[in-house]
Amino acid sequence: MPDVSWRFVSILLANGVLVGSMYALVALGFVLIYKATDAINFAQGEFVMFGGFLAAATADMAGLPWWAGVLAAICGMIALAFCLERVVLRPLLGRPIIAVIMATIGLASVLRGTAVLAFGTGVQSISLPVGSSPFHLGPLVLPPIEIVGAGVSLVFLAAFAWFFLKSRLGVAMRAVADSQQVAMAMGINVRRYFALAWALGGVVSALGGVLWGAMLAVDNQLALVGLKVFPVIILGGLDSILGAVVGGLVVGVAENLSAGFLDPLVGGGTKDFVPFVLMIAVLMVRPEGMFGRRRIERV
Amino acid sequence: MFGSETGVFKTSYAADMALYPLPVARRTMAFLALFFLFAVPLLFSVYAVTILNLVLIAVVGALGLNILVGYTGQVSVGHAAFMSVGAYTAANLIARLHAPFWIAIPAGGGMAALVGAFFGIPSLRIKGLYLAIATLAAQFIIEWTINHVTWISGGVDASIQVSPPVVFGMALETQRQLYFFLLFFAALAVTATLNLVRSRVGRALVAVRDQDIAAEIIGINTFRYKLAAFAISSFYAGVAGVLYTYYLGIANYEQFGISVSIDYLAMIIIGGLGSVLGSIFGAAFITILPEATRLFLKHFGGMFLSHGAILNLIPNIRLILFGSLIIFFLIVEPEGLNRLWRNIRNYFRIWPFTT
C-alpha cells in the first residue's frame, strides 16, 4: 500500500460505522418478523422505499412539517403491514419455505409498481431539520444526516432490545417464536403477535425509509437498500437483534474500506460486491451467523 | 384428443413408467408435433413467431430451474446469473474462435454447470432461506464479475456481438429460421427432463426434496445429488443463455439481472413445481403476460387515458400484475397451472359420466 494515511482510514471507518448502524435499523425490521413469525420478508427494501415515499409525499406535497411526514409514514406502514399479514402471509402459514419467499418477492414487485403509480416517477426529497454543513469531530468530517441516522438507529435498536428482554409483549413474542404450540397452550394469542410483529416491522421500515430517504433521495432506487440487509442478517444471525447491529457495523465498515482501497485497483463497484462475498464465506463456515441460534433438525 | 380408458391394465413396471401410457397420448404428441412443425411457421405472423421463440427459450430455462427447485427442493434466486455464464462462454467462443453452435451450446451449458455446482457447495450445510440468500449472492457476484472483468465481457458496454448459428451450411438469420432451431432444443430439453425425472437419479432427487435426512439414511448420497441438481439445472440455464444470445445476436449482462431470476421462479410457481408440463405452461404464461398487458392497454386503455399516460402505466401495471399473480397462485392454487390442466383433463376423462 503506497500511502495509507490514518486520517483516510479513520474517515472510512467512521463512515462505515454510521452507515452500518443505519443498515442495522433496516435489518432489524427483517429480524423482528423472522424472529416472531418465521417468515422471510424479501420485500424489506420495498417496505423502506414505501415508508420513504409516504413521508416525502406528506411533507412535500401536502406542505406539512417534517414530523407530520414521519408520523404519516409510521401510521401508513403499520396499516400496510397489518393488511399484508392478513391477506398474504396468514394463508401461507405452515407452507414450504419457498412459498413464503416467493410471496414476499411478489409483494416486492407489487409495492414497486404501486409506489410509482401512487407517488409518480420523480425523485422526491425528505428534509429533516439537521442542517447540511459537515460536522467536524477531531480529524473527521462527517455529514450530519449520517450522525442523526446512526443515533436514531441505535436508540431504536436499544429500545427493541429492551422490549424483547423485559416487556410483557416482548416476552410473549419470544415465546411465540420459540414454539407456537407451547405458546398457544400458555394462553398466548399467537395470531395477534404475528400481526404485532409485522406492525413493528412496518414501524422500523418507516423510520428506515425516512432516514435513508433523507440521506439518498426518495425514488425507486431506495428499495436497493433492502439488498444490503441480506449480508447483514446472515453475518449477525437471522434471529438476533445484537446480530443485526454487529452485522450492520461489519457490512458498513467492510464496504467503506473496500470502496476506499479496492475501488482504485479494480475500477469501482466493489461496494455492492464485497458484502456478498463476505456473506458466502460466512455461509460456508458458520451458516447460523455470529449470534444466531443453531437449529437442530429431526426426521 | 380426449381418450377414455376403461381401467388399468398394466402388467409390468416398464408399462407403468412409459412416457406415453395410452395410445391417445401418442396421438396427441403426434398432433402437437405436426402443429408446431408445420402449422405455426406457416400460419403465424412474424410477431407471433418472435414471441414463441422467447417462450421456447424460457421453456429450457424453466425446466432447469424446476429440476432444482421443484424436484430437488433447493431454492435458487440466481438462475439468470447461470444463464449469463452460458451466454458469455458461448459468445467468447463464437466471437474469438468462430465456434459452431454444436460446440458453443454444450460449452456454454458445461461452463454454467461448473459455476452452478460451485455455488451449490453451500447446499451441503444450508437449506431453505439460507440457500436462497446464498444463491442471491451468486447472482450479484457473477453479475459483477462479468461486468468488471473485461477479458470475459469484451470491453465496451460489456456486450459481445455473435453471428447467427449456421446449420447445414445455412445461417439462421430470420426469426422463422431461428424458430426451428429453438424448437429443436426446447423439445430436446423436454424429452431429457421427462426421462431424467423417471430415472434413478430423478427419484433420488425427489427423495432429497421430501426429506433429505431420511434420504441420506436410506443410502442416497445427499451432497452428490444436491450438487448434481445444481449442475444439471445450471446446464439448462447455460443452454438457455446461449439460445437467448443467438436470439438477440448479442450477449449482454443486463439481460440476465435479478429480475430475470425472479421471472423464472414465477414461471415454475405459476406453472407448477415439480412438473414438466407445468414448466412449459409457466414459461408461456410469464413470457406472454407482458405482451398481453401491453396489447390490452394499447387497445383498450385509450378509452380512459391519454397515449403518454398509458406508456408510463404499462411497466408498472406489469409489475403489479406479475406480483399479484404470484401471490394469487401461491394462496389459491399452489400446484399451479399444471393442476388446473389436470383437473380439466380428469373431468373430461370420464365425461359424460361426471357428476
Side-chain angles (χ1 to χ4, degrees), chain B residues 287-308:
Chain B
T287 315
I288 293 171
L289 178 70
E291 290 303 319
T293 323
R294 200 175 57 84
L295 286 179
F296 181 83
L297 281 176
K298 251 192 177 157
H299 285 112
F300 298 101
M303 287 180 240
F304 313 102
L305 298 156
S306 71
H307 185 66

Side-chain angles (χ1 to χ4, degrees), chain A residues 130-136 141-145:
Chain A
V130 291
S132 56
S133 55
F135 189 78
H136 293 268
V141 183
L142 300 166
I145 180 68

Side-chain angles (χ1 to χ4, degrees), chain A residues 245-271:
Chain A
V245 179
V246 178
L249 294 181
V250 171
V251 168
V253 169
E255 70 169 27
N256 266 286
L257 287 180
S258 72
F261 290 111
L262 291 178
D263 270 11
L265 300 178
V266 296
T270 52
K271 223 177 170 167

Side-chain angles (χ1 to χ4, degrees), chain B residues 120-139:
Chain B
I121 291 175
S123 70
L124 169 67
R125 298 196 57 184
I126 57 179
K127 50 176 103 175
L129 166 67
Y130 286 90
L131 189 60
I133 297 178
T135 53
L136 186 72
Q139 168 83 39

Side-chain angles (χ1 to χ4, degrees), chain B:
Chain B
M1 274 181 67
F2 300 104
S4 42
E5 43 193 321
T6 49
V8 178
F9 302 111
K10 289 160 189 158
T11 50
S12 66
Y13 282 116
D16 197 37
M17 298 284 289
L19 268 187
Y20 311 118
L22 293 176
V24 64
R26 221 164 292 152
R27 282 201 295 274
T28 313
M29 278 308 296
F31 171 79
L32 282 177
L34 286 177
F35 177 77
F36 278 108
L37 273 176
F38 297 107
V40 169
L42 287 175
L43 302 176
F44 279 33
S45 69
V46 178
Y47 172 72
V49 172
T50 311
I51 303 290
L52 203 58
N53 282 348
L54 279 177
V55 173
L56 292 173
I57 296 167
V59 165
V60 178
L63 282 170
L65 190 61
N66 220 338
I67 290 173
L68 184 65
V69 181
Y71 285 100
T72 322
Q74 310 294 306
V75 185
S76 166
V77 197
H79 204 58
F82 301 132
M83 290 174 70
S84 71
V85 171
Y88 274 91
T89 308
N92 275 310
L93 284 175
I94 296 164
R96 293 184 193 194
L97 305 173
H98 306 288
F101 77 91
W102 48 267
I103 288 180
I105 288 179
M111 192 66 179
L114 273 181
V115 176
F118 172 75
F119 280 102
I121 291 175
S123 70
L124 169 67
R125 298 196 57 184
I126 57 179
K127 50 176 103 175
L129 166 67
Y130 286 90
L131 189 60
I133 297 178
T135 53
L136 186 72
Q139 168 83 39
F140 288 115
I141 291 173
I142 292 173
E143 223 178 299
W144 188 89
T145 309
I146 287 178
N147 195 8
H148 281 79
V149 180
T150 40
W151 185 79
I152 301 174
S153 57
V156 188
D157 296 332
S159 46
I160 305 173
Q161 295 257 353
V162 296
S163 46
V166 179
V167 183
F168 301 127
M170 184 176 74
L172 307 178
E173 273 156 352
T174 66
Q175 288 291 339
R176 269 181 216 280
Q177 290 168 333
L178 209 53
Y179 168 77
F180 290 103
F181 184 70
L182 296 174
L183 184 66
F184 170 75
F185 282 101
L188 193 67
V190 170
T191 319
T193 316
L194 279 174
N195 282 319
L196 175 80
V197 298
R198 64 196 188 115
S199 70
R200 181 189 165 84
V201 178
R203 286 194 302 274
L205 295 182
V206 171
V208 170
R209 171 191 71 189
D210 288 344
Q211 190 23 287
D212 55 353
I213 297 175
E216 195 149 20
I217 289 167
I218 59 170
I220 292 168
N221 186 338
T222 324
F223 184 45
R224 185 194 293 167
Y225 279 107
K226 279 181 180 174
L227 274 196
F230 265 97
I232 296 169
S233 154
S234 305
F235 185 87
Y236 278 76
V239 170
V242 183
L243 294 177
Y244 194 47
T245 305
Y246 275 133
Y247 172 87
L248 291 175
I250 195 166
N252 188 320
Y253 77 100
E254 280 177 11
Q255 305 295 333
F256 305 104
I258 174 84
S259 60
V260 179
S261 290
I262 293 172
D263 280 356
Y264 275 96
L265 275 174
M267 282 175 201
I268 61 171
I269 295 265
I270 289 177
L273 287 173
S275 133
V276 171
L277 197 57
S279 314
I280 301 171
F281 285 148
F285 190 85
I286 291 292
T287 315
I288 293 171
L289 178 70
E291 290 303 319
T293 323
R294 200 175 57 84
L295 286 179
F296 181 83
L297 281 176
K298 251 192 177 157
H299 285 112
F300 298 101
M303 287 180 240
F304 313 102
L305 298 156
S306 71
H307 185 66
I310 291 173
L311 285 184
N312 284 332
L313 221 58
I314 286 173
N316 297 306
I317 295 276
R318 201 149 74 190
L319 272 177
I320 296 174
L321 204 60
F322 175 75
S324 343
L325 273 170
I326 295 176
I327 296 172
F328 174 82
F329 269 95
L330 280 171
I331 293 174
V332 180
E333 188 58 271
E335 286 176 66
L337 291 170
N338 182 49
R339 182 75 202 183
L340 289 179
W341 161 246
R342 281 226 305 268
N343 287 347
I344 296 169
R345 203 186 53 184
N346 286 344
Y347 177 85
F348 279 104
R349 195 174 238 171
I350 41 174
W351 186 85
F353 303 110
T354 37
T355 49

